[in-house]
Amino acid sequence: MAENVKVAVRVRPFNDREKQRKATLIIDMKGNSTYIKNPEDLKAEPRSFAFDYSYWSHDEFKESSSGYLEPTGSRYADQRRVFDDLGRGVLDNAWKGYNCSLFAYGQTGSGKSYSMVGYGNNKGIVPIFCEELFKGVEDKKATAGENEEYQVTLSMLEIYNEQVRDLLNPKSIAQKGGLKVRQHPSKGFYVESLVSCPVSSYNDIENRISEGTRNRTVAATNMNATSSRAHTIVAITFVQKTPNETGQSMTRTSVVNLVDLAGSERAESTGATGDRLKEGSAINQSLSTLGNVIKALADLSMGNKKTVVPYRDSVLTKLLQNALGGNSKTIMIAALSPADINFDETLSTLRFADRAKAIKTTATVNESPTDKLIRELREENARLMELLKSGGITLEQLQASGGAVGQNPNQEVEEMKKAMEEELRKNQEEIENMKKTWQERLSEQETANKGNVDAERKKQEEKKVIPHFWNLHEDPALTAMIVHFAREGTSKIGNKNASPPAEITISGLSIQKQHGVVTNKGGVVKIKSVDGKILVNGAKITKETELHHNDRVLFGPNHLYVFHHPQDEAKNVKEGKVTETPTYDTAQQEIAKKAGFMDKTGKSEDDLILQEDVIQMLPMVNEADAMSAELDKKVKFELALVSPQARGLKEGKTEVMVKIRNLESGNEWLWDRNKFINRKFLMQEMYQNYVEGADDWDVPREKDPFWEDADVEVLIGTVHVHLMSLSHKLDIEETLTVTNYQGKENGHIEIEVMPCTTKGGPLGEDDFLDDPKELVGKELNFKFKINFGRGLPSNMRQSCCKFKFYLDNQYSSTAFVDGMNPEYKFEKLFKFSKCTSELVDYLMDSVAVIEVWGKQKDSSQKGGATLGADTKQLMAREKSNLFGLSNYEEEQAKLKKLGDNKPVPVKKAAAKPADNNKDNGVIIPVPPPPAADKKQTDQQINTYKKQADDANQRAKAAEQRAANSESTVSDLRSLLNQKKRGGNDTITIAELEAMLGGGGRTSSSAAQKENMGDQASKACSIQ
């Protein structure tokens, strides 16, 4: 009989980040109902969802002396209660012979792993299930008859980027393209060559899962993969062989799938609008398809029989077909964040879980006579052998079996033949296993694992006495899985290609053959860099540095470790010193702080959000930069803090963006956060293919995530036009400075705003308004002109200007015009038949922001000093130029104008360059000594920090100009009123000069000139 999937939701306590942000609680639970408030309107009626179970684990608990989190109130759901409600049912059904599946769903950090695995004495569903299963097995064995047997086997796989990795078989992890997913006529989809290990106790399972997690950590590091985007499936197969009433041997089989899904948050595509590669990444394909499958199954359960369920659209849904819509009893637990700052993700999780509860599955007991199973396998093997001997499978048989015949049928037939051979091998293996006793299989497994078990035991003992490094990972489950010992003497640090092999081998992104050296002399451990980058406690080391207990060490861009010194630790304990164990987050905060980004003292909530974004993005940008260097993509990535004013907004939040610079052409682009994250996933795919040795790892540049087209528009800068004069019906004519997000001048544009008649003619002399409020209810017409630009950046091929006025939804834009000094000749007539008070307020208090956009010269053009240099050399040269060697570039530019592209030797105050600083005839400038290096690096870091401040200063300068303009207009109005009262209709030039340029207004005018530059306003003209 069909039954619905059981769905539970669980809300966790606030984490440190949410506490720091003073987050608001938006989740409530009553009985089995869950309520969520919209943080934008907390007084509104909350949305409600009903589930089988709603677990409140947010508060009303305390930590006991054993470390267990126990309830202090009736609402709190502890680990045991969750197991009794969910895990107990899985256990009971496994004994009955049903297939079972347990899913954990939710965004990264929502508490999925806590419910599934737990930590310390707070064991989750998986360890308690395994413990209870083996307790039951031991109880059964105590009274078992001669022919009774209970078998438990374990497999563990990971799905990342639509590729399957067997986590219990390290050799298969590096297999190109991952393991194949095949389909069995009756059993459904399965993974070819997946290892299934016999286990005899919970300790065995724990060891195997730890081994799989360790292999997963190594694979993620080697491939530079984002582990939070991977799905993990632990499958426990429980087989009971018992005689029935007639004495016939019966086999009852249950497969229990424990599924930890990837974080449900997506790399948003909204911010990547217009990016040619926004749909290119397969990173989210499995989760997207899972959502589609669940929606389709929910539609089917509502009676829509025409719905097609897209199981085949992803690897995950293929492997979970039984769990979702077939022979399985299925439970889903959705993990929720309680905080308002995660509202969108939490609401999405609740909606997903709400759809899932409509799914129905039909579970059956998997029980057959053992002899029958062996006979069926032999018959199937005979059929497969006959097909293969007769020349394989025909196209008709391929179609009859449900396979689609594509453009290359012969290749598909070959694929099916291989699948048959694999099925034949697997069936034969099953037959052999059925013939063996369970003890024989266990003995074989124990013999195979003996070496690993002994090595692991030895490692655990050595960790107690030998200084070592243990890894830090953004996924807590993958932390402390990799250990490297700093043994007495000298230990070289290098990658797997080092010759002779390094004592400490670290594989992965930007690890050099001779990366560094660790020395241990009498317990004093020191580290120094050789060819690679090493950070200790967030700071780059330039000389040999002593390490102490709990020091944080970063190798390359993303290999983060903690140094553990047993003797130091014992000394600290003896002296009563308390040292906190570092976490991934605290280590990244430290790196960001040393880079000048972290300063929480007295910061607003917006500043804290900005710093969080920086901490998240900084390691990602470093990884992208390192991948560019290894793949020789000739681009460099940097963080950029962009104020709202620099983005054309009057107010808002400073955003973290990423600047990408082509090292050959000098072209630059700014990517928003979402576009960069999407591109980074594609970069990781490319890097993974490169590491695996795929011949086609590189792709055409239109599909290359590192490449950006020169035709992609870039924001050159903005100008702010103050509209106060327009509210008095006075002309505005100004030459304004174009400034980019860093506050750098990028040229000038001339604009005019001229009040006029409905048909565009000039106004009369008496149309001037003393008080802008007189405009309310009256007509206003004016021409907005953008005449020309001057001195725009030389790498711009074309440019245009865009702006929105008042309530415009669409931009008004000039045409794209060629050259550094474009003649825009833009004019637009604005007509307001009746001015509202809101419009008048806008004219008095606001600015029109003109955005200057450009298209750069073709980035494929190469030459000059970059010819023949690879990315690493270009980056090194750029860094050297940063350290006071920019005359190299200047001299190169001079020669280029003369048509000579030969590099110019540059005199340097540093030591004599070695021969290896020459490559293809290009002389690479040598950086100065370390002291100067640090000084210049600090200057570079401070540049980032000042970007947002510069933008804010420009905004304040603009406000000051507005205030000055308002004051001048007020003075002008007073003078006019004075003249009118005296019956005089003439204002002399001397009086105007005294008011605008002299007397009491001198300081204000000077300030205005200083703020606006030499090309300041040409003043308001009076007809």
Side-chain angles (χ1 to χ4, degrees):
M1 187 178 74
E3 61 181 55
N4 288 73
V5 170
K6 281 188 178 180
V7 178
V9 296
R10 190 180 191 187
V11 62
R12 59 161 172 77
F14 286 132
N15 59 25
D16 291 341
R17 168 178 169 265
E18 291 159 348
K19 289 176 184 175
Q20 195 176 77
R21 293 267 298 274
K22 297 179 181 176
T24 301
L25 177 66
I26 58 169
I27 296 292
D28 194 16
M29 291 177 174
K30 292 176 183 175
N32 292 333
S33 296
T34 297
Y35 303 87
I36 182 169
K37 295 178 182 179
N38 186 342
E40 299 294 327
D41 188 5
L42 292 171
K43 293 182 180 179
E45 188 73 19
R47 304 186 198 197
S48 64
F49 298 86
F51 300 104
D52 295 286
Y53 303 96
S54 288
Y55 293 120
W56 181 265
S57 300
H58 178 69
D59 56 14
E60 297 189 13
F61 66 91
K62 68 175 183 179
E63 186 174 347
S64 69
S65 57
S66 65
Y68 184 73
L69 303 181
E70 58 187 25
T72 59
S74 58
R75 297 186 77 190
Y76 183 73
D78 64 354
Q79 293 286 65
R80 193 75 216 186
R81 178 176 156 192
V82 174
F83 174 79
D84 288 342
D85 287 344
L86 304 179
R88 181 72 62 187
V90 174
L91 183 66
D92 293 344
N93 287 322
W95 277 102
K96 292 173 185 175
Y98 291 108
N99 291 337
C100 304
S101 297
L102 178 61
F103 291 86
Y105 182 86
Q107 71 182 108
T108 301
S110 60
K112 299 192 305 292
S113 297
Y114 180 72
S115 293
M116 291 291 281
V117 181
Y119 66 86
N121 283 329
N122 296 281
K123 293 177 180 176
I125 294 172
V126 175
I128 298 177
F129 168 83
C130 295
E131 284 179 346
E132 295 289 333
L133 177 63
F134 281 108
K135 277 182 189 175
V137 168
E138 291 304 315
D139 291 343
K140 289 282 188 181
K141 280 183 178 179
T143 58
E146 185 179 345
N147 296 322
E148 287 187 40
E149 198 168 65
Y150 300 92
Q151 307 174 1
V152 182
T153 57
L154 177 84
S155 65
M156 187 175 180
L157 63 84
E158 176 185 72
I159 302 169
Y160 180 78
N161 228 11
E162 286 302 284
Q163 295 185 9
V164 180
R165 300 188 182 113
D166 184 351
L167 296 179
L168 298 182
N169 183 6
K171 293 179 182 177
S172 74
I173 289 177
Q175 182 175 321
K176 182 182 174 183
L179 299 178
K180 298 288 184 185
V181 175
R182 305 290 189 190
Q183 187 173 15
H184 188 277
S186 59
K187 297 178 184 176
F189 291 101
Y190 67 94
V191 178
E192 179 180 289
S193 305
L194 185 68
V195 169
S196 188
C197 298
V199 286
S200 60
S201 65
Y202 170 62
N203 193 47
D204 275 358
I205 286 184
E206 197 171 37
N207 287 339
R208 293 286 81 76
I209 290 177
S210 293
E211 178 189 334
T213 306
R214 192 159 47 249
N215 291 336
R216 181 183 171 205
T217 309
V218 173
T221 306
N222 290 353
M223 298 295 180
N224 194 40
T226 306
S227 65
S228 63
R229 313 306 298 166
H231 314 281
T232 308
I233 302 176
V234 175
I236 297 172
T237 304
F238 179 40
V239 178
Q240 306 168 65
K241 290 183 179 179
T242 56
N244 62 11
E245 295 80 1
T246 63
Q248 184 181 22
S249 177
M250 302 292 290
T251 298
R252 184 181 293 176
T253 305
S254 171
V255 179
V256 181
N257 285 309
L258 304 166
V259 186
D260 191 355
L261 295 170
S264 59
E265 69 281 353
R266 298 187 51 146
E268 299 175 49
S269 60
T270 52
T273 303
D275 184 15
R276 71 186 192 282
L277 297 178
K278 66 177 179 179
E279 300 297 338
S281 176
I283 199 77
N284 290 307
Q285 185 173 331
S286 286
L287 267 187
S288 300
T289 305
L290 180 61
N292 295 337
V293 165
I294 285 179
K295 184 178 185 302
L297 289 170
D299 290 343
L300 276 177
S301 69
M302 300 298 289
N304 187 353
K305 301 299 182 185
K306 294 183 179 179
T307 303
V308 177
V309 184
Y311 291 115
R312 292 176 174 272
D313 288 359
S314 81
V315 170
L316 177 70
T317 48
K318 282 180 184 177
L319 295 178
L320 297 181
Q321 181 172 355
N322 266 342
L324 294 168
N327 176 21
S328 176
K329 288 182 176 285
T330 301
I331 296 172
M332 175 181 289
I333 182 164
L336 308 178
S337 161
D340 56 338
I341 56 178
N342 295 317
F343 169 74
D344 291 334
E345 294 292 354
T346 303
L347 181 60
S348 173
T349 300
L350 286 167
R351 286 173 172 163
F352 186 92
D354 194 51
R355 282 199 299 271
K357 71 183 184 184
I359 298 172
K360 294 181 184 293
T361 60
T362 305
T364 58
V365 174
N366 304 306
E367 185 174 36
S368 296
T370 307
D371 293 341
K372 182 186 174 188
L373 289 175
I374 295 175
R375 186 179 70 250
E376 286 175 349
L377 285 169
R378 282 176 173 162
E379 286 173 357
E380 188 176 356
N381 273 9
R383 181 181 65 83
L384 292 170
M385 286 291 290
E386 189 62 34
L387 273 173
L388 291 169
K389 284 178 181 177
S390 63
I393 189 167
T394 64
L395 292 178
E396 290 75 15
Q397 288 169 320
L398 174 63
Q399 289 173 317
S401 68
V405 180
Q407 295 180 345
N408 194 345
N410 291 332
Q411 184 178 343
E412 289 174 23
V413 168
E414 283 301 313
E415 279 287 313
M416 193 140 190
K417 280 177 68 176
K418 288 179 183 176
M420 283 182 174
E421 289 168 356
E422 168 60 23
E423 196 175 324
L424 189 66
R425 184 198 63 76
K426 198 172 182 67
N427 288 346
Q428 193 62 40
E429 188 179 287
E430 281 191 45
I431 293 170
E432 294 302 319
N433 285 336
M434 285 182 177
K435 287 180 180 178
K436 290 178 184 175
T437 67
W438 179 242
Q439 287 305 318
E440 286 175 337
R441 291 188 65 193
L442 277 177
S443 297
E444 288 177 4
Q445 187 66 42
E446 285 173 7
T447 302
N449 289 335
K450 191 173 187 310
N452 292 338
V453 171
D454 291 344
E456 183 63 25
R457 189 181 296 116
K458 181 183 177 186
K459 183 173 79 173
Q460 295 303 326
E461 290 301 317
E462 287 185 329
K463 282 167 64 177
K464 297 175 184 177
V465 293
I466 300 176
H468 58 274
F469 302 90
W470 54 270
N471 76 301
L472 273 177
H473 200 281
E474 61 180 335
D475 183 347
L478 304 188
T479 287
M481 285 292 149
I482 302 175
V483 173
H484 297 293
F485 289 100
R487 301 184 187 277
E488 185 72 23
T490 300
S491 300
K492 296 185 183 69
I493 305 165
N495 62 29
K496 61 184 179 182
N497 297 321
S499 181
E503 287 77 12
I504 297 176
T505 300
I506 303 176
S507 294
L509 189 61
S510 289
I511 299 298
Q512 308 302 316
K513 292 180 182 179
Q514 296 180 14
H515 200 92
V517 173
V518 174
T519 58
N520 181 351
K521 293 182 180 179
V524 177
V525 181
K526 296 182 179 181
I527 188 170
K528 70 175 180 180
S529 172
V530 180
D531 293 334
K533 175 184 173 184
I534 298 176
L535 270 62
V536 174
N537 299 333
K540 184 179 178 181
I541 62 171
T542 55
K543 60 181 180 180
E544 192 171 53
T545 303
E546 185 175 349
L547 295 176
H548 301 283
H549 181 63
N550 276 350
D551 277 352
R552 286 72 59 202
V553 185
L554 179 70
F555 301 99
N558 62 344
H559 304 270
L560 190 55
Y561 286 81
V562 174
F563 179 66
H564 181 92
H565 199 307
Q567 290 75 30
D568 263 10
E569 182 186 30
K571 183 181 176 184
N572 290 341
V573 171
K574 189 175 180 180
E575 294 175 358
K577 293 181 182 177
V578 178
T579 56
E580 288 189 18
T581 303
T583 65
Y584 179 83
D585 288 339
T586 58
Q588 291 294 355
Q589 286 173 11
E590 179 179 56
I591 292 169
K593 186 175 182 179
K594 292 290 174 70
F597 287 114
M598 287 289 293
D599 180 16
K600 288 193 171 68
T601 309
K603 291 289 183 181
S604 67
E605 184 178 346
D606 286 350
D607 290 335
L608 292 177
I609 294 171
L610 178 64
Q611 288 182 350
E612 277 182 19
D613 288 343
V614 167
I615 291 168
Q616 181 198 26
M617 294 287 285
L618 189 59
M620 296 171 71
V621 169
N622 289 338
E623 286 176 36
D625 218 31
M627 285 189 282
S628 170
E630 287 214 14
L631 300 176
D632 196 19
K633 289 297 178 178
K634 295 182 172 59
V635 292
K636 182 168 179 57
F637 298 90
E638 296 173 6
L639 271 188
L641 306 181
V642 185
S643 70
Q645 291 78 15
R647 303 195 308 274
L649 305 174
K650 184 180 179 182
E651 55 190 21
K653 299 175 181 177
T654 296
E655 285 190 1
V656 178
M657 303 183 80
V658 177
K659 182 171 78 172
I660 172 176
R661 182 166 67 260
N662 186 304
L663 294 172
E664 293 182 311
S665 67
N667 285 348
E668 295 180 355
W669 298 265
L670 272 181
W671 289 351
D672 65 38
R673 178 178 176 274
N674 294 322
K675 178 174 179 177
F676 170 72
I677 290 174
N678 184 64
R679 287 290 190 98
K680 181 176 168 281
F681 284 137
L682 292 167
M683 293 172 197
Q684 286 175 307
E685 287 179 37
M686 177 181 278
Y687 183 77
Q688 182 177 335
N689 292 332
Y690 169 77
V691 170
E692 290 176 349
D695 294 332
D696 58 350
W697 69 266
D698 209 355
V699 294
R701 72 178 189 177
E702 61 271 11
K703 294 183 179 180
D704 191 336
F706 292 92
W707 183 75
E708 193 70 297
D709 195 333
D711 274 341
V712 172
E713 295 178 23
V714 295
L715 184 62
I716 298 172
T718 58
V719 297
H720 290 196
V721 182
H722 291 270
L723 303 169
M724 171 69 76
S725 297
L726 183 59
S727 68
H728 291 277
K729 288 196 173 182
L730 294 173
D731 292 355
I732 302 171
E733 184 181 355
E734 292 190 287
T735 300
L736 299 169
T737 302
V738 181
T739 53
N740 70 0
Y741 72 95
Q742 294 172 306
K744 177 185 174 184
E745 289 189 10
N746 272 345
H748 301 82
I749 61 170
E750 184 185 86
I751 63 99
E752 292 181 67
V753 183
M754 304 171 63
C756 60
T757 63
T758 307
K759 295 183 178 180
L763 293 179
E765 294 182 2
D766 297 330
D767 285 318
F768 168 79
L769 297 177
D770 288 343
D771 186 352
K773 295 296 183 184
E774 295 176 32
L775 263 180
V776 176
K778 294 182 181 178
E779 181 183 45
L780 175 66
N781 307 295
F782 61 90
K783 294 177 183 177
F784 201 112
K785 295 183 177 182
I786 303 176
N787 297 327
F788 55 77
R790 294 293 182 264
L792 299 185
S794 59
N795 66 320
M796 290 297 159
R797 178 167 48 90
Q798 292 181 321
S799 64
C800 78
C801 298
K802 304 178 184 180
F803 67 95
K804 291 180 182 178
F805 189 86
Y806 191 38
L807 300 178
D808 287 351
N809 290 320
Q810 302 294 325
Y811 278 101
S812 298
S813 178
T814 72
F816 269 99
V817 182
D818 294 343
M820 293 171 55
N821 302 306
E823 298 288 340
Y824 296 121
K825 300 178 181 177
F826 171 86
E827 180 179 309
K828 182 174 181 177
L829 179 61
F830 287 85
K831 298 180 180 181
F832 295 91
S833 57
K834 187 181 288 187
C835 292
T836 62
S837 57
E838 289 80 11
L839 172 59
V840 174
D841 289 342
Y842 170 77
L843 295 176
M844 293 175 65
D845 301 329
S846 299
V847 293
V849 179
I850 300 176
E851 301 171 16
V852 185
W853 291 81
K855 294 181 181 179
Q856 300 173 94
K857 294 175 182 176
D858 189 0
S859 61
S860 64
Q861 294 172 357
K862 302 178 181 179
T866 67
L867 195 62
D870 64 22
T871 305
K872 292 178 182 178
Q873 292 167 338
L874 292 173
M875 286 181 175
R877 183 179 307 151
E878 185 177 80
K879 185 177 179 182
S880 299
N881 286 338
L882 194 69
F883 297 148
L885 292 168
S886 57
N887 59 317
Y888 177 86
E889 189 175 338
E890 291 171 10
E891 293 297 324
Q892 198 63 43
K894 289 176 185 176
L895 278 189
K896 204 168 183 181
K897 286 181 180 178
L898 297 172
D900 187 350
N901 285 329
K902 293 179 181 177
V904 180
V906 180
K907 293 181 180 179
K908 298 171 277 289
K912 242 181 166 181
D915 291 341
N916 59 6
N917 285 319
K918 295 185 179 181
D919 186 80
N920 297 331
V922 179
I923 299 176
I924 303 171
V926 179
D933 181 283
K934 184 179 186 306
K935 181 180 177 182
Q936 294 292 344
T937 302
D938 289 343
Q939 291 175 1
Q940 184 187 16
I941 288 168
N942 288 334
T943 301
Y944 284 123
K945 194 175 180 182
K946 291 177 181 176
Q947 285 174 7
D949 292 340
D950 289 344
N952 288 333
Q953 287 173 8
R954 294 198 310 276
K956 288 178 182 176
E959 294 297 331
Q960 183 63 46
R961 291 200 301 272
N964 291 341
S965 298
E966 185 175 1
S967 178
T968 302
V969 170
S970 178
D971 289 352
L972 181 61
R973 187 165 60 245
S974 298
L975 181 62
L976 285 170
N977 289 334
Q978 181 184 343
K979 289 289 183 180
K980 285 179 180 178
R981 284 195 299 271
N984 194 344
D985 59 359
T986 303
I987 299 175
T988 66
I989 292 175
E991 287 172 324
L992 278 175
E993 285 180 341
M995 183 187 68
L996 296 175
R1001 307 303 313 161
T1002 303
S1003 60
S1004 175
S1005 299
Q1008 184 178 12
K1009 184 174 182 182
E1010 181 182 347
N1011 285 329
M1012 299 177 68
D1014 293 331
Q1015 299 294 326
S1017 169
K1018 294 181 181 177
C1020 303
S1021 59
I1022 301 178
Q1023 299 293 329

